């Protein structure tokens, strides 16, 4: 039986916006509207021009919404180590969904560049996949 997990909304102890003069609030929100006007291109442009990293965009957020986390992934300057099990799970998901899988599609769904030259375990996994996968099943 599935149990419900309560949703916790973290409220700041103090509303920091209230302490900012109204004119400054107007300028702040106008700037934010401009950044998100042609989302996601305008957000990407702003972050690139200001050399922002993913940690800059999420550091003060105790809970990061999925859409925002996905938007900030391209600014992850340090790579993320991915386990073989994560790769296997993503490949299994794609295989069930499409009937086949390949390294490029797994990389895309994970939002990572899987460099098999540096990871022999992942290279072996994809080599075995080619032997067991019918690439014509997606046609």
């Amino acid at each position: 039986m599935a149990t419900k997990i309560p949703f916790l909304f973290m409220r700041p102890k103090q509303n920091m916006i209230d302490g900012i003069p109204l004119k400054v609030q107007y300028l702040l929100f106008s700037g934010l509207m401009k950044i998100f006007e042609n989302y996601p291109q305008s957000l990407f442009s702003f972050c690139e021009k200001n050399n922002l990293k993913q940690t800059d965009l999420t550091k003060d957020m105790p809970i990061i919404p999925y859409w925002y986390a996905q938007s900030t992934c391209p600014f992850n300057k340090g790579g993320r180590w991915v386990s073989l099990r994560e790769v296997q799970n993503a490949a299994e998901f794609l295989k069930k969904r499409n009937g086949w899988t390949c390294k490029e599609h797994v990389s895309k769904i994970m939002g990572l560049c899987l460099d098999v030259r540096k990871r022999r375990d992942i290279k072996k996994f994809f080599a075995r996949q080619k032997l067991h996968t019918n690439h014509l099943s997606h046609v």
Side-chain angles (χ1 to χ4, degrees):
M1 173 181 255
T3 58
K4 289 186 177 181
I5 299 173
F7 176 74
L8 300 174
F9 181 72
M10 311 271 284
R11 289 181 177 255
K13 294 183 176 158
Q14 165 187 3
N15 189 345
M16 296 179 351
I17 298 294
D18 290 340
I20 300 173
L22 190 57
K23 196 175 201 178
V24 176
Q25 287 182 37
Y26 174 78
L27 293 172
L28 175 68
F29 285 109
S30 296
L32 287 172
M33 292 299 294
K34 185 74 174 162
I35 291 170
F36 284 94
E37 190 173 79
N38 294 316
Y39 176 82
Q41 293 83 11
S42 53
L43 175 65
F44 290 172
S45 176
F46 175 81
C47 292
E48 287 171 0
K49 285 178 186 174
N50 292 284
N51 198 27
L52 296 176
K53 298 182 224 62
Q54 187 177 32
T55 53
D56 297 322
L57 300 168
T58 59
K59 68 181 175 187
D60 295 324
M61 300 175 74
I63 298 172
I64 303 168
Y66 178 78
W67 69 269
Y68 188 74
Q70 291 301 108
S71 298
T72 61
C73 277
F75 302 103
N76 185 353
K77 303 292 184 195
R80 180 176 85 76
W81 190 86
V82 61
S83 71
L84 176 60
R85 188 72 193 136
E86 288 177 282
V87 172
Q88 290 169 331
N89 287 337
E92 184 179 322
F93 167 78
L94 287 171
K95 199 169 188 179
K96 285 180 182 176
R97 185 174 162 199
N98 302 331
W100 64 284
T101 188
C102 66
K103 181 182 82 70
E104 289 75 22
H105 290 141
V106 172
S107 293
K108 186 174 181 178
I109 196 171
M110 294 182 74
L112 300 166
C113 177
L114 297 173
D115 189 353
V116 295
R117 295 171 297 174
K118 295 179 182 177
R119 294 286 305 274
R120 291 184 186 141
D121 56 342
I122 293 175
K123 184 177 184 174
K124 285 180 186 177
F125 171 73
F126 282 112
R128 284 192 308 265
Q129 286 294 334
K130 287 183 182 176
L131 296 175
H132 302 300
T133 303
N134 178 3
H135 290 284
L136 298 177
S137 64
H138 70 281
V139 177

